[in-house]
Amino acid sequence: MCGRFALTATPDQTAAFLGLAELEDFPARYNIAPTQPVLMALAGPPLAPGSNLPDRQAMLVRWGLIPTWVKDTREFPLLFNACSEGAVEKASFRAAMRHRRALVPASGFYEWQQTGGKRGQPYWIRPRNGGLVAFAGLIETYAEPGGSEMDTGAILTVNANADIAHIHDRMPVVVHPRDFARWLDCRTLEPRDLADLLRPAQLDFFEAIPVSDLVNKVANTGPEIQVRGVVGPESEKVRRQKPGADDSQMTLF
């Protein structure tokens, strides 16, 4: 599962990584959570012959995909992840898998190892060699009853590799730069042509760093949440003594 991630690279670094012409300025984001806006890249409209412009475009979407057929969003679950296995057969993701595949740039993601405590031990999981990573994403434009439209999205997940499985049994699907064009090509490639991309990241691609429980609160958005730390028994005891703690986001996991 991927329920939190970070994007701390500069707009120029992110644009270069995704092959975009440019991006509007944005701040480093250390604790991105479902329902918040996230940056995605998708294939742009066909270019004129001889054009040397990038063939990709950026889009800000609400993290939490809403299929076009949903009548009442209040009664629909928050689809911030999509299991890559069988996603093309599921009504919620079928159209997006065929027509609106995207890339989600990230500096890394967070996952929680359940250790018997209420929240478990959080880990900051990032590329071992630094830099950015792209997760496989899906986009769906939802038309609200009032007529306004909202772009929404989800991150595809797959069974975790051996490096991550001791923390959680799922991880985001990683799309490598050499495969960006294939993944985004919704004009000529069907999901069945991309099955080889929907696999766990290779071993040693990520490193997992234990961090404190500061990341549990969405309101904590600074770099301190990525500082190495361990959630011990005392932390759990303190939390039990403070039932008013904000659990709203962790219920997503």
Side-chain angles (χ1 to χ4, degrees), residues 226-249:
Q226 294 179 355
V227 174
R228 184 180 295 269
V230 175
V231 176
E234 183 60 27
S235 296
E236 293 297 333
K237 180 179 178 181
V238 170
R239 266 197 297 273
R240 287 195 295 270
Q241 292 172 346
K242 297 182 178 180
D246 178 10
D247 297 334
S248 59
Q249 285 294 329

Side-chain angles (χ1 to χ4, degrees), residues 129-152:
N129 294 325
L132 284 161
V133 64
F135 301 144
L138 301 174
I139 293 175
E140 192 67 85
T141 300
Y142 177 71
E144 298 179 294
S148 61
E149 293 186 341
M150 174 171 54
D151 296 316
T152 69

Side-chain angles (χ1 to χ4, degrees), residues 138-250:
L138 301 174
I139 293 175
E140 192 67 85
T141 300
Y142 177 71
E144 298 179 294
S148 61
E149 293 186 341
M150 174 171 54
D151 296 316
T152 69
I155 292 174
L156 284 160
T157 65
V158 69
N159 285 328
N161 64 21
D163 291 336
I164 308 299
H166 70 287
I167 300 172
H168 198 279
D169 61 356
R170 305 289 294 179
M171 68 186 303
V173 172
V174 172
V175 182
H176 293 283
R178 63 179 179 271
D179 297 315
F180 284 1
R182 284 184 62 206
W183 176 250
L184 296 178
D185 183 1
C186 298
R187 299 189 186 97
T188 64
L189 297 179
E190 293 286 332
R192 63 175 176 270
D193 302 319
L194 304 167
D196 60 302
L197 302 185
L198 303 179
R199 60 179 184 268
Q202 66 265 34
L203 293 177
D204 292 327
F205 180 81
F206 286 115
E207 63 177 345
I209 302 168
V211 295
S212 76
D213 55 4
L214 287 173
V215 68
N216 294 352
K217 283 183 174 291
V218 180
N220 293 332
T221 59
E224 66 277 2
I225 69 173
Q226 294 179 355
V227 174
R228 184 180 295 269
V230 175
V231 176
E234 183 60 27
S235 296
E236 293 297 333
K237 180 179 178 181
V238 170
R239 266 197 297 273
R240 287 195 295 270
Q241 292 172 346
K242 297 182 178 180
D246 178 10
D247 297 334
S248 59
Q249 285 294 329
M250 291 308 298

Side-chain angles (χ1 to χ4, degrees), residues 4 7 16-17 19 23 54 80 89 96 98 110 119 128 146 166 197-199 202 204 209 215 239:
R4 300 281 183 84
L7 177 58
F17 175 70
L23 286 171
F80 55 92
E89 282 101 31
R98 287 195 170 97
Y110 302 95
R119 297 178 187 263
R128 187 175 297 276
H166 70 287
L197 302 185
L198 303 179
R199 60 179 184 268
Q202 66 265 34
D204 292 327
I209 302 168
V215 68
R239 266 197 297 273

